[in-house]
Amino acid sequence: MTLLHTLSYAGAAAAFLFVTLSLASGLLWLSELIEEHSRMAKVVGKRSIYAVIILHVLLYLSDSLPLKHIVFSIFCHIVYLQNFTSGWPFISLTSISFIASCILVIADHFMWFFYFARLTQDARHRTHRPYGAPANSPRIPGFADIATFFGLCVWLAPLFLFLSLSANDNALPTNTGGLPSSPTSPVKPIMTRPRASLFKSLYDTLPRVRPRTRRRDASEGIIAPRSPNLRPAATVSPLQTPTRLEPMHLYLTESPRTLYLVTTKQEERNGRPRRALVFRASDGTSSETESQAVVQFLSKDDIDLTLAVKLTAKNIKGCLGLINISNEIFVVLVSSSVEVGNTRPSSVTPESVAQIHEAGFYSLTSSTWDDLATDNAPSPGYSDGPDSIMRDSYSQSGNTVSVFEHPCAPLIKLISAGTFYYAVEPRWDISSRLSLRIGRKTGGGSPLDMGVFDERFVWNEYIVRSLLDFRERLDIPEREELDRSHFIVLATQGYVGVFTMPLPAPPTNGGPTVATVSLISRLGWKRSGTRFNTRGVDDDGNCANFVETETIFSTDQHCFSYVQVRGSVPLFWEQQGLQTFGQRIQITRPQASQPAFDRHLMQLIEEYGSMHAINLLGSKENEAILTTAYGRHLRAAQGVLGDTIGITNFDFHYAVKMGGHESVIKDIRRLPTVSDNVDKFGFTLVDSSSDELVWDQKGVFRTNCLDCLDRTNFVQDILSRTVLESYLMHTRREWSTSPSLWGRHRELWAENGDALSRIYAGTGALNTSFTRSGKRTLAGVLSDATKSVSRAYINNFQDKGKQVAIDMFVGNFSSQKTVTIYDPIHDSVRRALEARVFEYSTTKRCSLFIGTWNLNGKPPTSESLLPWLYPRSADYDMFVLGFQEIVPLTAQQIVQADPERRRAWETKILHALNQRPDKKCEYILLRSEQLVGTALLVLVKSDLTSVIRQVEAATQKTGLRGMSGNKGAVGIRLDYHDTSFCFITAHLAAGHSNVEERNADYRTIAHGLRFQKGKMIDSHENVIWLADTNYRIDLENERARYLATSDDYDALLAADQLRQSIDEGLAFSGYQEGPILFRPTYKYDLGTDTYDTGEKMRIPAWTDRVLFRGPQLDLAAYSRAELRSSDHRPVFALFHAEVKIIDQVKRTALARYLTDNVTATAPGEPLDEKLARLTFSDDARDRDPPRSSKSNPFDSPTESPLSSSPSSSEEQLYQASTQQNPTASMQGRRPPPPPPARGNRASGKEAS
């Protein structure tokens, strides 16, 4: 029996192994099905989760399961849905959604396990009831019931996600080799085995019950070949044609390091020139050459590639430009793209569009990054969940062989997200709408000139500008060959969709008419960014999320085009702090938005003729604030612009609440202001046979909601269909009822809404289920709920990294170095311009009032502020007021500060300024900002708002090691004409002996306070601190009081902690302070002139100080005011400053003049010396400089045409320097300056 007993154990083990392997084999088979049918599996998986959610609700109603447990399980399944991203079934094991899913599935399992365990335990106790007790206990679920519940409601969705991991070939590394010790190591990458998925790694450890079938090579991918050329994104029309993009190759040679972008034989057979674009870094180590490249456009016969190596196996589609990252110059190349389709087949020349799928960054200065998978970005595409690229790319290093991330990784992920498009043919401009392109022909311009484009929508304008300038310097035949080679790519961001369909033809023809409907959305880059980081308007009139959307309907007879725009409410507003589902909106410059608002409207009128705004904001408190301000500013603008602008307010949410989404369609069309302008504006119509403009659109609708996404897209879809129906009713009435046409139209607008929403908010748009199907479904409601939750998380916690990548790409950072192309002539001219800045700039004298006051938490009183705000009878250009302890520093205020106290002080200050004697001007509140008890206010003359720009605020906490705002700083920066100012008010650490803590607070603020686009305190020309520094006097109390009352300031200053810290270089190095000729400002008994007599008897000290640095600042007075409503005395400083005004027209003319003279330089003549000798006369100031004359048209005018203000003529306490005569004051409100010139669109050239 011993042998039989042993065999029984072996048999049991074999049976267990058989069952295990059979189960594993079955699971592997299921995972392979998911791989091979990923699109269907994704739909099945998502719908199954929706079904499980509904099952939870039914179980709650029928089986009385506990509500808390049911809600938690539904929440778990909503999180599971977040894994169905655009890259599914590829799931990153380090993504937040996957980690959260792993945690939640365990929590969900044990929650229900303990619930059913308790339930069965209670049932077991009830079975031992006393004799005669009634047997009325509720039915207890059996083992089969519980197992079924766990299988369907707990483990089904996680198991499906687990199986999908088998397609994740980036899940687990299986290589055993080592990695380089540093990114600069010369060691080449070690050959590794292909990465395996989690499930396959586990399964591979088991013995196989069947032979291994041949699998695809890892380089091919699992679901489909890895190249996006064969795997178009979901945004591409199903009717798209196969890609026909001709590739280029990239080669590398060393000594010197040179990159060659070379056309291929395939391109040459298709008529492209045999050419190469050659890149290398400029020689030299100076600061000027470290961001300079040498570019050559050569024939292939003139280059030797025998020793060159192919730098990438990918076929290059074109060059996006040159960028300097981490002091290295990178060439940005499109390494993968897919053709979307021909947007206008009726055109003589094709107008095809390609979507960028991958981009590569290749260094000109280092080989460190050659071996990294710089262009292995995930394939783009869109799903109903949040975009994984948008969600994960900016916080993770990506899946690369090396542990060292490429310095351009955020940019690679940004460009490879599937949101960028470019023209396949180099001779049509995707950035310009149809009427502009046709107008260039009829206007005598060259519609095929690559240098002519709408710069508002070319996103790589910053990095491609040097290549475009290089192109302009080529001879015309070479320039044409460069264009034909298609080396340079101009990319737009947004959405492009194309559908081609047959429509019934007239009875005379037999066959159907082939029509194409296209949708092109062009996102503006001049105020680019993400949802909570970029709102409103900037000083140049550029709006956040500004999109021009063009609907194109093309047949063999006519081409119809209709243009709409969307954009954020063009006011200065933002959303700070943690934003959830309640939107907290702050209008940051409520009284100074009109100039920027006017600039924006003037740009729209100049561009489109007329503008009618459709405002979809609701009646909620925050949205109502924006609506009221929007209407007020538009009415003010109508006084200048007349009936060319108008507005219609339509509460979208209220309309949906009352009548559903269907009612919105009817209500929008019935609005008189909308229907009248639909007829008034019309549309653009082009004759397909002659390419001539038949009718041009006369105006544009500007639609907005809060984010300009969901509601806006819904209404723009309605307007597009309304106008297209109007056109069809006059041409082919039978087409106006075509289900095929309107089905394609709905699909395009739904995809457009999703695409634009992912760019700005990180998830697809809401309401797209109704846009697609025309009805509201439960699945659509659940989808919108998950999107809302995802948006809240992404926008609050992940968008900052993406914002940095965007700012870097478009060149917003002030510290960025623009890559230039070596050109001796233009380099010499640039140096000459910098040296002769005085010839195209003027200066204006302005006056500043700087004040600081610790309020000790007191509200405004009846005490007049004029002794502080008007120590001299003068109207200052600007008041900068800093307050500390504007609210009591209680725990409640630290958690959430009350802004009402700050608003009360703003009202009090404005009232005081209006009550001043001999009032000659009005003041407005330009900007205010608050951090708990610290607040900073900037007030300016009302006629200066048009010349004060780039106003930004920032805060920095220093309390509790940076976690609490009870101590910290508030900064406001601005540009006054062309001179930058930064004002900081701070409240440093308290306590007599805490000097080191105060020094540390200063260092934290100096290095941590950051404004937008990378600007810091040291980035500004003029900096002023107005703060309660809390530095004390190191003397005995009685001695200090005696010296203070005796006005012996020198002895007190010798013991001043701040002066000692400055002298030792521990704080405020490089800053100045005026002579202190006033008594210590701290601490007084309230309402008296007596220093502190309380229990602590604090030593008198100058805690309240004004420190400054800047070459333009001239201190005129430094003193205190005798206001007694606080235990501190307010301090003020009066400054005069010289602000610089650059005349850009004169600068451009001077550059042209110098260039023309340099080109006539004799051989061997030093350029710099010749430029220095050139002089000019006054008589040619306003005309173009002559090419051979040496007269000077650039002398500065004696009076500035811009607004100025009189400097103070009061008696000063002391002279800091010789005062200059003030310029004359300009009376009345000056209209805002015109919008920025768009030179590219006019001439296609940038002045050198």
Side-chain angles (χ1 to χ4, degrees):
M1 296 296 292
T2 305
L3 178 60
L4 184 61
H5 189 68
T6 304
L7 290 175
S8 68
Y9 276 108
F16 175 80
L17 185 61
F18 175 78
V19 173
T20 302
L21 293 177
S22 298
L23 179 61
S25 181
L27 292 177
L28 181 60
W29 175 74
L30 290 175
S31 69
E32 289 176 344
L33 283 179
I34 293 175
E35 294 174 9
E36 298 298 332
H37 306 283
S38 59
R39 185 169 298 180
M40 180 182 297
K42 182 176 183 179
V43 174
V44 171
K46 294 182 65 176
R47 292 185 178 178
S48 298
I49 293 179
Y50 290 139
V52 172
I53 292 175
I54 297 173
L55 179 60
H56 277 83
V57 177
L58 295 177
L59 288 173
Y60 169 73
L61 297 175
S62 63
D63 290 35
S64 301
L65 294 182
L67 178 61
K68 292 182 179 179
H69 293 55
I70 291 292
V71 171
F72 181 80
S73 286
I74 291 176
F75 172 77
C76 293
H77 282 78
I78 291 177
V79 174
Y80 301 158
L81 282 172
Q82 308 312 306
N83 292 282
F84 290 91
T85 61
S86 60
W88 190 90
F90 295 88
I91 301 177
S92 172
L93 298 187
T94 58
S95 67
I96 294 177
S97 60
F98 180 78
I99 295 173
S101 299
C102 293
I103 297 173
L104 290 175
V105 68
I106 297 174
D108 194 32
H109 169 83
F110 281 103
M111 179 189 70
W112 287 111
F113 175 84
F114 288 121
Y115 168 76
F116 284 113
R118 191 184 73 251
L119 206 63
T120 54
Q121 185 72 17
D122 293 341
R124 196 176 299 118
H125 285 299
R126 283 194 294 269
T127 57
H128 301 289
R129 65 184 185 277
Y131 179 78
N136 56 355
S137 300
R139 180 184 179 275
I140 303 302
F143 174 80
D145 298 334
I146 297 175
T148 303
F149 177 87
F150 271 88
L152 293 177
C153 298
V154 178
W155 284 108
L156 179 62
L159 178 62
F160 188 88
L161 294 175
F162 181 77
L163 293 176
S164 69
L165 286 176
S166 64
N168 188 354
D169 63 344
N170 292 321
L172 293 176
T174 60
N175 60 297
T176 58
L179 291 172
S181 60
S182 70
T184 59
S185 174
V187 178
K188 295 297 181 182
I190 296 174
M191 298 301 295
T192 61
R193 291 171 49 200
R195 290 175 176 257
S197 70
L198 175 64
F199 185 78
K200 289 176 181 174
S201 299
L202 296 176
Y203 182 68
D204 284 345
T205 63
L206 301 175
R208 298 192 172 272
V209 298
R210 58 186 175 88
R212 181 193 297 268
T213 57
R214 180 188 178 275
R215 305 292 297 166
R216 297 181 183 89
D217 184 80
S219 62
E220 297 177 31
I222 291 178
I223 298 177
R226 190 179 300 277
S227 171
N229 288 345
L230 302 179
R231 185 183 173 192
T235 53
V236 182
S237 165
L239 299 177
Q240 68 178 21
T241 58
T243 179
R244 56 178 178 82
L245 304 174
E246 290 86 358
M248 309 170 196
H249 292 155
L250 182 65
Y251 293 92
L252 166 69
T253 61
E254 297 287 356
S255 301
R257 180 178 174 84
T258 307
L259 299 184
Y260 301 85
L261 189 58
V262 182
T263 57
T264 62
K265 293 181 179 179
Q266 178 185 351
E267 291 181 286
E268 293 155 10
R269 284 194 297 269
N270 292 335
R272 292 196 176 177
R274 287 174 46 83
R275 285 286 194 162
L277 198 60
V278 183
F279 303 89
R280 65 178 176 85
S282 179
D283 298 329
T285 58
S286 66
S287 58
E288 184 177 339
T289 59
E290 67 180 10
S291 187
Q292 191 174 76
V294 176
V295 178
Q296 296 172 287
F297 182 55
L298 303 175
S299 170
K300 285 178 66 175
D301 299 328
D302 296 335
I303 60 176
D304 182 11
L305 296 178
T306 54
L307 298 178
V309 294
K310 206 170 183 181
L311 191 54
T312 176
K314 294 182 178 294
N315 292 323
I316 305 302
K317 305 300 187 296
C319 179
L320 289 170
L322 298 162
I323 190 169
N324 187 309
I325 304 291
S326 301
N327 292 322
E328 290 192 47
I329 300 175
F330 290 89
V331 181
V332 188
L333 303 176
V334 178
S335 55
S336 179
S337 63
V338 65
E339 186 173 340
V340 176
N342 190 345
T343 60
R344 193 164 70 102
S346 61
S347 174
V348 177
T349 57
E351 296 186 355
S352 300
V353 177
Q355 182 188 43
I356 297 176
H357 277 201
E358 293 182 16
F361 285 64
Y362 301 93
S363 175
L364 293 182
T365 54
S366 171
S367 60
T368 304
W369 312 106
D370 289 353
D371 299 326
L372 293 185
T374 57
D375 48 6
N376 248 1
S379 297
Y382 299 121
S383 64
D384 294 335
D387 191 332
S388 62
I389 295 174
M390 298 298 185
R391 185 188 62 200
D392 297 331
S393 296
Y394 306 95
S395 58
Q396 302 176 12
S397 60
N399 298 313
T400 59
V401 174
S402 174
V403 295
F404 303 108
E405 186 178 60
H406 194 286
C408 305
L411 294 179
I412 294 171
K413 295 163 186 173
L414 176 71
I415 302 172
S416 304
T419 60
F420 286 89
Y421 299 83
Y422 67 93
V424 174
E425 293 79 18
R427 294 181 175 256
W428 86 279
D429 175 22
I430 187 178
S431 69
S432 301
R433 60 190 185 275
L434 178 62
S435 60
L436 276 182
R437 302 198 303 271
I438 300 299
R440 290 170 188 155
K441 289 183 181 180
T442 58
S446 173
L448 306 180
D449 187 355
M450 186 180 183
V452 180
F453 55 86
D454 192 334
E455 68 166 6
R456 297 177 300 165
F457 305 121
V458 175
W459 271 68
N460 60 323
E461 201 271 346
Y462 169 71
I463 64 175
V464 82
R465 169 49 54 197
S466 57
L467 287 177
L468 293 177
D469 291 342
F470 167 79
R471 173 188 174 275
E472 291 296 327
R473 296 195 291 267
L474 296 177
D475 295 334
I476 292 179
E478 280 198 314
R479 188 186 309 166
E480 291 178 351
E481 286 207 339
L482 178 64
D483 292 348
R484 286 171 52 209
S485 302
H486 207 190
F487 284 127
I488 301 176
V489 169
L490 302 180
T492 63
Q493 189 177 28
Y495 171 76
V496 179
V498 180
F499 277 113
T500 300
M501 73 210 78
L503 293 175
T508 55
N509 293 352
T513 297
V514 178
T516 300
V517 58
S518 308
L519 195 67
I520 304 177
S521 282
R522 307 173 179 99
L523 176 64
W525 63 268
K526 293 194 173 183
R527 185 161 173 76
S528 52
T530 53
R531 187 183 179 204
F532 289 151
N533 294 298
T534 310
R535 294 291 204 184
V537 72
D538 65 14
D539 289 283
D540 294 321
N542 304 307
C543 275
N545 202 21
F546 182 82
V547 184
E548 177 189 87
T549 302
E550 182 177 19
T551 305
I552 300 175
F553 180 76
S554 177
T555 65
D556 56 356
Q557 293 183 341
H558 297 101
C559 184
F560 160 95
S561 166
Y562 182 67
V563 174
Q564 305 175 68
V565 297
R566 68 176 75 182
S568 186
V569 176
L571 304 171
F572 292 106
W573 64 281
E574 61 188 33
Q575 291 175 272
Q576 293 186 348
L578 184 65
Q579 302 290 327
T580 54
F581 302 103
Q583 310 288 351
R584 297 194 299 272
I585 295 171
Q586 178 187 6
I587 300 180
T588 57
R589 293 156 68 177
Q591 301 174 348
S593 293
Q594 194 68 48
F597 185 91
D598 292 348
R599 288 188 188 101
H600 177 68
L601 295 190
M602 291 173 67
Q603 291 175 18
L604 294 180
I605 292 173
E606 178 192 16
E607 191 69 41
Y608 303 105
S610 297
M611 185 281 298
H612 188 83
I614 301 180
N615 176 37
L616 304 177
L617 294 175
S619 56
K620 294 180 181 179
E621 178 184 359
N622 288 306
E623 293 194 359
I625 292 173
L626 275 180
T627 296
T628 302
Y630 195 1
R632 183 175 66 251
H633 282 77
L634 194 133
R635 286 190 295 273
Q638 282 177 327
V640 178
L641 303 176
D643 58 0
T644 56
I645 58 174
I647 189 170
T648 297
N649 292 309
F650 181 82
D651 190 338
F652 184 94
H653 286 323
Y654 179 79
V656 171
K657 179 181 178 181
M658 299 303 296
H661 287 79
E662 298 84 354
S663 67
V664 174
I665 301 175
K666 300 176 183 178
D667 293 344
I668 289 291
R669 292 185 171 187
R670 290 173 181 170
L671 290 172
T673 52
V674 174
S675 58
D676 291 347
N677 282 294
V678 165
D679 297 335
K680 176 184 175 182
F681 295 160
F683 47 82
T684 296
L685 192 64
V686 175
D687 190 320
S688 296
S689 59
S690 61
D691 231 17
E692 293 181 354
L693 195 65
V694 177
W695 180 262
D696 194 12
Q697 187 174 332
K698 304 299 183 184
V700 70
F701 282 102
R702 185 196 190 278
T703 311
N704 75 272
C705 52
L706 192 66
D707 300 320
C708 302
L709 296 175
D710 316 315
R711 291 174 277 180
T712 297
N713 197 75
F714 192 93
V715 171
Q716 285 194 330
D717 175 26
I718 298 171
L719 295 175
S720 174
R721 175 163 181 167
T722 300
V723 178
L724 182 53
E725 281 180 345
S726 174
Y727 160 71
L728 295 177
M729 291 296 291
H730 290 86
T731 54
R732 295 288 179 85
R733 185 179 293 266
E734 64 274 17
W735 290 353
S736 63
T737 57
S738 169
S740 173
L741 172 60
W742 300 123
R744 300 291 190 273
H745 185 272
R746 285 197 304 270
E747 183 68 21
L748 286 173
W749 275 99
E751 293 293 336
N752 178 71
D754 279 342
L756 297 178
S757 180
R758 283 189 182 87
I759 294 171
Y760 192 57
T763 71
L766 310 182
N767 304 321
T768 51
S769 61
F770 185 89
T771 305
R772 282 189 173 90
S773 62
K775 57 184 179 181
R776 193 76 165 155
T777 62
L778 177 59
V781 173
L782 293 175
S783 176
D784 288 350
T786 58
K787 291 173 185 175
S788 298
V789 174
S790 299
R791 278 187 185 180
Y793 176 79
I794 293 169
N795 301 154
N796 280 293
F797 301 109
Q798 294 187 337
D799 274 351
K800 292 189 185 301
K802 182 181 174 185
Q803 182 70 51
V804 171
I806 293 173
D807 287 335
M808 190 184 303
F809 185 56
V810 300
N812 279 340
F813 287 118
S814 57
S815 59
Q816 272 187 276
K817 298 177 181 178
T818 304
V819 177
T820 59
I821 294 177
Y822 175 71
D823 176 19
I825 293 177
H826 289 81
D827 291 345
S828 299
V829 170
R830 185 166 53 248
R831 288 193 297 268
L833 284 174
E834 293 173 357
R836 303 173 71 154
V837 62
F838 60 90
E839 297 188 40
Y840 53 84
S841 66
T842 57
T843 59
K844 185 182 76 169
R845 195 169 182 79
C846 70
S847 54
L848 308 176
F849 178 95
I850 308 296
T852 179
W853 192 10
N854 185 313
L855 297 171
N856 194 27
K858 305 300 181 184
T861 64
S862 58
E863 185 179 29
S864 174
L865 300 180
L866 288 180
W868 178 40
L869 299 179
Y870 268 84
R872 309 288 182 269
S873 57
D875 288 334
Y876 305 100
D877 289 342
M878 193 182 307
F879 282 85
V880 182
L881 306 176
F883 294 102
Q884 303 81 39
E885 296 188 44
I886 198 170
V887 296
L889 298 182
T890 62
Q892 180 181 359
Q893 291 289 348
I894 292 174
V895 173
Q896 185 173 8
D898 181 13
E900 292 303 322
R901 183 68 62 83
R902 186 194 77 238
R903 292 170 186 157
W905 277 102
E906 292 171 357
T907 303
K908 173 77 173 178
I909 291 167
L910 286 170
H911 177 74
L913 294 180
N914 289 328
Q915 297 299 316
R916 69 188 186 277
D918 301 325
K919 184 176 70 172
K920 299 177 182 178
C921 63
E922 296 289 337
Y923 287 95
I924 65 168
L925 179 64
L926 180 70
R927 185 72 160 88
S928 65
E929 188 66 22
Q930 180 178 353
L931 174 66
V932 188
T934 307
L936 185 60
L937 282 61
V938 178
L939 302 95
V940 301
K941 290 182 177 179
S942 58
D943 59 353
L944 296 181
T945 55
S946 61
V947 296
I948 297 177
R949 307 156 70 84
Q950 308 301 329
V951 183
E952 302 170 14
T955 61
Q956 177 65 48
K957 299 176 182 178
T958 60
L960 296 179
R961 297 184 180 273
M963 295 184 293
S964 173
N966 62 314
K967 292 292 187 288
V970 178
I972 293 180
R973 59 91 52 212
L974 55 87
D975 291 336
Y976 187 3
H977 286 293
D978 295 292
T979 301
S980 61
F981 291 87
C982 180
F983 306 104
I984 306 104
T985 187
H987 195 190
L988 304 186
H992 186 94
S993 60
N994 294 332
V995 179
E996 180 52 40
E997 284 80 357
R998 286 187 277 275
N999 293 340
D1001 284 354
Y1002 163 77
R1003 291 191 293 270
T1004 299
I1005 296 168
H1007 296 99
L1009 189 70
R1010 295 176 181 269
F1011 300 95
Q1012 295 178 13
K1013 303 176 183 177
K1015 293 187 288 290
M1016 302 179 66
I1017 294 176
D1018 289 340
S1019 305
H1020 300 82
E1021 299 169 81
N1022 304 285
V1023 180
I1024 301 177
W1025 288 72
L1026 47 151
D1028 179 356
T1029 64
N1030 256 325
Y1031 285 97
R1032 309 302 171 88
I1033 294 176
D1034 286 330
L1035 290 175
E1036 294 293 332
N1037 201 335
E1038 293 300 326
R1039 175 66 175 167
R1041 289 171 184 260
Y1042 172 76
L1043 294 175
T1045 55
S1046 304
D1047 295 336
D1048 190 349
Y1049 305 136
D1050 292 339
L1052 288 170
L1053 286 171
D1056 179 58
Q1057 293 175 351
L1058 177 56
R1059 291 290 177 93
Q1060 293 170 1
S1061 294
I1062 294 176
D1063 293 341
E1064 295 172 7
L1066 300 176
F1068 295 98
S1069 297
Y1071 286 90
Q1072 305 176 53
E1073 186 180 19
I1076 295 182
L1077 304 177
F1078 52 90
R1079 291 183 177 182
T1081 58
Y1082 173 84
K1083 173 183 181 180
Y1084 285 92
D1085 291 337
L1086 288 178
T1088 72
D1089 292 329
T1090 304
Y1091 284 112
D1092 185 19
T1093 60
E1095 179 182 355
K1096 295 184 178 180
M1097 292 279 289
R1098 288 179 175 84
I1099 301 173
W1102 286 290
T1103 59
D1104 310 283
R1105 313 288 274 267
V1106 176
L1107 299 100
F1108 63 96
R1109 66 166 177 80
Q1112 287 88 11
L1113 293 176
D1114 176 13
L1115 181 64
Y1118 187 31
S1119 187
R1120 76 177 206 177
E1122 301 305 321
L1123 302 184
R1124 299 176 176 82
S1125 55
S1126 172
D1127 57 1
H1128 289 248
R1129 292 291 185 264
V1131 172
F1132 65 88
L1134 309 180
F1135 289 93
H1136 295 293
E1138 296 289 335
V1139 296
K1140 181 170 56 180
I1141 307 170
I1142 294 178
D1143 189 329
Q1144 295 295 342
V1145 175
K1146 291 174 65 176
R1147 185 185 186 279
T1148 301
L1150 176 57
R1152 265 202 313 269
Y1153 178 86
L1154 297 176
T1155 303
D1156 292 341
N1157 279 273
V1158 168
T1159 54
T1161 301
E1165 184 179 1
L1167 293 180
D1168 293 340
E1169 294 181 10
K1170 179 174 181 178
L1171 291 174
R1173 291 196 305 268
L1174 291 177
T1175 55
F1176 307 86
S1177 63
D1178 295 338
D1179 56 356
R1181 178 182 134 193
D1182 295 324
R1183 59 182 171 85
D1184 289 342
R1187 295 189 176 272
S1188 58
S1189 172
K1190 296 188 178 180
S1191 58
N1192 182 357
F1194 304 107
D1195 286 344
S1196 300
T1198 55
E1199 293 186 0
S1200 171
L1202 299 172
S1203 60
S1204 59
S1205 59
S1207 61
S1208 59
S1209 58
E1210 73 277 21
E1211 195 71 19
Q1212 300 179 346
L1213 291 178
Y1214 42 79
Q1215 292 289 339
S1217 65
T1218 305
Q1219 302 294 325
Q1220 300 177 7
N1221 291 329
T1223 56
S1225 175
M1226 176 178 172
Q1227 301 296 326
R1229 179 175 180 262
R1230 209 168 56 84
R1238 288 184 285 279
N1240 284 340
R1241 297 182 50 217
S1243 64
K1245 283 189 178 182
E1246 181 183 20
S1248 300

